[in-house]
Amino acid sequence: MDQEKPKVRLFVDQPLDEEQAVSLSREQAHYLFGVMRLGPGANVALFNGRDGEWRAEVAEAGKRGGVLVCRARSAPQGEPPDLWLMFAPVKKARTDFIVEKAVEMGVRRVLPVHTDFTNAERWRQDRQEAHAIEAAEQCGGTFVPEICAMAKFDRVLADWDPSRRILFCDESAVGARVSLDGLEPGPWAVLVGPEGGFSDSERARLRGMDCARAISLGPRILRAETAAVAALTLWQVAAGDWR
Amino acid sequence: MDQEKPKVRLFVDQPLDEEQAVSLSREQAHYLFGVMRLGPGANVALFNGRDGEWRAEVAEAGKRGGVLVCRARSAPQGEPPDLWLMFAPVKKARTDFIVEKAVEMGVRRVLPVHTDFTNAERWRQDRQEAHAIEAAEQCGGTFVPEICAMAKFDRVLADWDPSRRILFCDESAVGARVSLDGLEPGPWAVLVGPEGGFSDSERARLRGMDCARAISLGPRILRAETAAVAALTLWQVAAGDWR
């Protein structure tokens, strides 16, 4: 077996286990054998979001498909903490960016919400699922967060399970001291509003929820994607797997 | 005077003071009067990186220029802490992103460095200066960081003033506990390596510098721009103006 470090990391929606054969889709075969020019015997890193990362070897390489065989587990399954990212989609490139960052920063679920001031292009759930998989392939992760359909923010709050706490980035708190007090392990959702912030009634509603906690993100106004990374960083270091 | 909130924030490299007249460049006049369709009497927010933000009124609007007059200071000058961001440029869109985030997160100087594993396209200093100004216009900041020319990383370290501490994001520390210990106010530089990380000799050299401190950024590998925002967040909350 070629022990060279795999040049390619691939997500496959199939079981992975010792000597398990994995068949490739046409697109995956094209990428591995056409674009990356791998041939039989080459090493590929595989993950499926459940069984860790496996070093697999190309057994058959064809134009329309191929077969890999798992040789050994190269990394254990890494589950992120029980954290969701809830955000109001913004412009396309920045929304893509937020999904990518959610994968890198380690969240379990990405939940786009339509708030009063959301002024977004369409949310393509299937496209964002593919985007999350690509981000996990690139960042070496073994977990792909669940990508939800867009939901109305007021409905989401109406149905909220109060055992999951909400950390909401409050633009009206710009300049307040940033405090990590009260960020304790457990189920949480980080909530980032749209570029225009939350409406007064949304803010009042959040402030009325016992499970919600506002956080300031310093004296400057941050764009949505920056606020997402900053808030996820603070949560991870205080309550997540960065501790 | 029209007291409506200005729709436009503009950086001008001219003094700002009460009743001060400010003349516009051709491009600025085109933007204000052609694109944004402002006319005489309209309000514009101006800043120059030194004198805070001013509410100014359009006094003359022409195709090739125009004059604004400062009416009142609308925000004090906000200086970020004495923090630099040092990073190895990556692909164009992500490099642009890092510069934008440096402005939002509040750094005084952006210093691109060419490390052993830097695999970057050209660094256009003038383009990035314009990009930093645009980011400050958008994020409501009154400060524009100094954008430096690209420098060789080993030269930068050879000439390093040890009174400025270095917080370097160490990929080899992935998975180590993230600690904010020792992040104390004072002059600092956050250092983010290229996608391939630092070379062994660079890492050894950094570890040998008393003023340098490594930091882990959790169990997942972060892209350069994510690492930049995360490290700046941790520094700001521990030692900067987010405290």
Side-chain angles (χ1 to χ4, degrees):
Chain A
M1 177 179 168
D2 177 7
Q3 284 296 340
E4 209 181 310
K5 195 176 186 298
K7 289 192 194 76
V8 177
R9 275 192 103 234
L10 207 62
F11 175 88
V12 290
D13 197 7
Q14 296 174 53
L16 298 175
D17 204 347
E18 205 129 344
E19 300 307 315
Q20 173 73 51
V22 174
S23 54
L24 298 176
S25 71
R26 194 173 180 142
E27 291 72 30
Q28 289 170 329
H30 172 72
Y31 176 65
L32 256 59
F33 312 132
V35 179
M36 297 303 291
R37 309 225 163 242
L38 301 185
N43 270 326
V44 177
L46 298 180
F47 68 106
N48 61 5
R50 304 182 299 272
D51 301 321
E53 184 191 85
W54 286 77
R55 192 166 289 210
E57 198 178 311
V58 176
E60 290 171 34
K63 273 206 162 176
R64 291 178 191 165
V67 176
L68 305 181
V69 177
C70 293
R71 294 305 187 199
R73 194 144 91 149
S74 43
Q77 179 59 26
E79 298 284 323
D82 191 2
L83 178 65
W84 298 357
L85 176 64
M86 197 163 27
F87 74 105
V90 283
K91 280 186 189 164
K92 188 183 163 301
R94 294 184 190 269
T95 295
D96 287 357
F97 202 86
I98 290 174
V99 171
E100 180 183 293
K101 297 312 144 205
V103 177
E104 288 175 55
M105 294 298 300
V107 311
R108 290 213 192 155
R109 179 181 280 188
V110 174
L111 181 58
V113 288
H114 195 102
T115 66
D116 289 345
F117 296 159
T118 298
N119 183 8
E121 292 162 48
R122 209 152 71 89
W123 171 258
R124 289 263 322 260
Q125 189 181 0
D126 56 343
R127 216 186 137 274
Q128 293 298 347
E129 279 166 351
H131 195 61
I133 286 172
E134 202 182 303
E137 286 173 347
Q138 300 265 331
C139 81
T142 51
F143 184 85
V144 181
E146 179 192 357
I147 306 292
C148 298
M150 177 96 95
K152 287 256 185 198
F153 186 51
D154 53 3
R155 292 258 179 87
V156 170
L157 291 190
D159 296 339
W160 195 259
D161 171 0
S163 69
R164 179 174 301 276
R165 301 191 62 191
I166 297 174
L167 182 66
F168 82 95
C169 305
D170 188 358
E171 291 210 348
S172 72
V174 159
R177 185 178 158 269
V178 180
S179 161
L180 306 184
D181 298 346
L183 295 184
E184 276 149 23
W188 280 83
V190 161
L191 168 61
V192 176
E195 304 273 302
F198 294 104
S199 68
D200 287 344
S201 69
E202 286 169 343
R203 192 174 287 113
R205 186 162 182 183
L206 284 164
R207 290 206 177 268
M209 290 171 78
D210 282 341
C211 63
R213 181 188 180 289
I215 193 168
S216 155
L217 293 173
R220 287 161 293 272
I221 296 167
L222 304 185
R223 281 184 185 268
E225 72 277 7
T226 320
V229 176
L232 292 172
T233 297
L234 296 178
W235 187 88
Q236 285 287 15
V237 81
D241 63 12
W242 290 28
R243 282 174 305 148
Chain B
M1 178 179 168
D2 175 7
Q3 284 295 340
E4 210 181 310
K5 193 175 188 294
K7 288 193 195 75
V8 178
R9 276 192 102 234
L10 207 62
F11 174 89
V12 290
D13 197 8
Q14 295 173 55
L16 299 175
D17 205 348
E18 206 131 342
E19 301 306 316
Q20 172 73 50
V22 174
S23 53
L24 297 176
S25 71
R26 192 173 182 146
E27 291 73 29
Q28 289 169 330
H30 172 72
Y31 177 65
L32 255 59
F33 312 132
V35 179
M36 297 302 291
R37 309 223 162 244
L38 301 184
N43 269 327
V44 177
L46 298 181
F47 68 106
N48 62 6
R50 305 182 297 274
D51 299 321
E53 183 192 84
W54 286 77
R55 193 166 289 212
E57 197 179 311
V58 175
E60 290 171 33
K63 274 206 161 178
R64 291 177 190 167
V67 176
L68 305 181
V69 177
C70 292
R71 293 306 185 200
R73 194 146 90 150
S74 42
Q77 178 60 25
E79 297 284 324
D82 190 0
L83 177 64
W84 297 357
L85 176 63
M86 194 161 31
F87 74 104
V90 282
K91 281 185 187 163
K92 188 182 162 302
R94 293 183 192 269
T95 295
D96 286 359
F97 203 86
I98 291 173
V99 171
E100 181 183 293
K101 297 311 142 202
V103 177
E104 288 174 55
M105 294 299 301
V107 311
R108 291 213 191 155
R109 178 181 282 187
V110 174
L111 181 59
V113 288
H114 195 101
T115 67
D116 290 346
F117 297 159
T118 299
N119 184 8
E121 293 162 48
R122 210 151 71 90
W123 171 259
R124 290 264 319 262
Q125 190 181 2
D126 56 343
R127 215 185 139 273
Q128 293 297 347
E129 280 167 351
H131 194 62
I133 285 171
E134 204 182 303
E137 285 173 346
Q138 300 267 329
C139 81
T142 51
F143 184 85
V144 181
E146 179 192 358
I147 306 291
C148 299
M150 176 94 94
K152 287 257 185 198
F153 185 52
D154 54 2
R155 292 258 179 86
V156 170
L157 290 190
D159 296 340
W160 195 260
D161 170 0
S163 68
R164 179 175 300 275
R165 300 193 61 191
I166 297 173
L167 182 67
F168 81 95
C169 304
D170 189 357
E171 291 210 349
S172 72
V174 161
R177 186 178 156 267
V178 180
S179 162
L180 306 183
D181 298 346
L183 294 185
E184 277 149 21
W188 280 83
V190 161
L191 167 62
V192 176
E195 303 272 302
F198 294 104
S199 68
D200 287 344
S201 69
E202 286 168 343
R203 191 173 288 114
R205 186 162 182 181
L206 284 163
R207 290 207 176 268
M209 289 172 79
D210 282 341
C211 63
R213 181 187 180 291
I215 192 168
S216 156
L217 294 173
R220 287 162 294 272
I221 297 167
L222 304 184
R223 282 184 183 268
E225 71 277 9
T226 321
V229 175
L232 292 171
T233 298
L234 296 178
W235 188 88
Q236 285 288 14
V237 81
D241 62 13
W242 289 28
R243 281 174 305 148

